Amino acid sequence: MDRHNDGSSSNRNSNSNDSNKSLACPLIKSRLQQCEDELQKKQEEFGPDSIELVKPLSVLGLLHQHMTKDLSKALDCHEEILRILQQQLEQQQQQQQQVDDDDEHHDSPSRQQRRYDHVWVTETMAVTRTDLASCHEKRGDYERAKHEYAEAHASLVSIDCNQKLLLLESCSRGFDRTCRTPSERRKMLNPSA
């Protein structure tokens, strides 16, 4: 005899999915609240421009981007990360110029640490730009998405980091999705060509 086609099996699956969703919502809300609390603590402890805010902002942005699908809040988080990192990069460049003027030891431990910090900030900016590009892409703003992918790509090309190939592939795939023609893609990846 055939299985029952009264939908009871699909109803059970549907009910199971609904209970998973209802379980996930409180978990997501709880995680969002934890992230917001952590961000607030770090802001109070370190100030609104501290590099310490990058991690909680990143987690919060990704939760909004992928779990709540609130792209507006995700964009706000990603843009705030970029603001903080850009400020950090400018400070590093000023410090580097001052050190270059004073430092005779070009391979000192402090210089190596500054190089590591610069690579970390640049890499984190590139990752954030790909997250930002993804949000713009999901909103249908392909021009802004292409711009962010191009900025991320340019940043990655300028540094040597562990995830470079993986991140460049992410940029490349973003270009493939947002560029209309192969020549447009080449132009975005090689603006000097």
Side-chain angles (χ1 to χ4, degrees):
M1 185 161 184
D2 286 344
R3 286 194 150 250
H4 296 286
N5 286 333
D6 63 357
S8 61
S9 174
S10 64
N11 283 342
R12 277 194 299 268
N13 289 339
S14 177
N15 290 340
S16 174
N17 289 339
D18 290 344
S19 67
N20 288 341
K21 285 180 185 176
S22 65
L23 208 81
C25 287
L27 291 174
I28 293 169
K29 287 178 184 177
S30 172
R31 184 64 179 129
L32 283 170
Q33 188 60 52
Q34 287 174 341
C35 290
E36 289 169 357
D37 292 346
E38 181 183 353
L39 178 61
Q40 185 176 359
K41 282 182 190 176
K42 296 227 182 223
Q43 285 174 326
E44 290 169 1
E45 184 176 352
F46 298 106
D49 300 326
S50 174
I51 197 87
E52 296 295 325
L53 304 180
V54 169
K55 183 178 179 182
L57 277 168
S58 180
V59 172
L60 199 54
L62 292 172
L63 280 171
H64 283 301
Q65 183 173 343
H66 298 291
M67 301 303 287
T68 69
K69 308 292 186 202
D70 188 338
L71 297 177
S72 179
K73 286 183 180 178
L75 284 169
D76 289 344
C77 291
H78 298 320
E79 288 170 350
E80 181 65 7
I81 293 168
L82 283 180
R83 184 193 67 76
I84 291 169
L85 291 173
Q86 186 61 44
Q87 197 171 47
Q88 184 71 24
L89 201 57
E90 290 168 6
Q91 289 173 358
Q92 286 177 352
Q93 289 169 343
Q94 289 172 352
Q95 290 171 351
Q96 185 63 40
Q97 183 61 42
Q98 186 178 18
V99 168
D100 284 347
D101 293 343
D102 300 339
D103 192 7
E104 295 176 16
H105 306 289
H106 292 291
D107 211 23
S108 67
S110 61
R111 188 176 185 91
Q112 291 172 352
Q113 181 63 43
R114 284 191 303 277
R115 246 184 268 142
Y116 171 81
D117 291 345
H118 173 77
V119 167
W120 182 86
V121 168
T122 305
E123 180 182 8
T124 304
M125 284 181 78
V127 169
T128 303
R129 285 192 183 282
T130 60
D131 292 335
L132 199 55
S134 176
C135 285
H136 288 304
E137 188 177 344
K138 287 177 183 175
R139 293 178 87 180
D141 189 349
Y142 300 114
E143 292 304 313
R144 294 220 25 215
K146 284 189 285 191
H147 171 77
E148 293 301 340
Y149 284 128
E151 290 291 322
H153 185 271
S155 294
L156 289 167
V157 169
S158 74
I159 61 169
D160 188 27
C161 67
N162 293 335
Q163 299 182 55
K164 185 173 183 170
L165 292 176
L166 180 64
L167 295 170
L168 284 170
E169 179 64 23
S170 177
C171 291
S172 177
R173 288 181 181 194
F175 280 126
D176 288 344
R177 289 189 306 271
T178 57
C179 290
R180 293 187 183 110
T181 64
S183 62
E184 184 182 16
R185 183 178 182 276
R186 280 192 300 277
K187 183 179 175 185
M188 291 297 290
L189 289 174
N190 298 315
S192 61

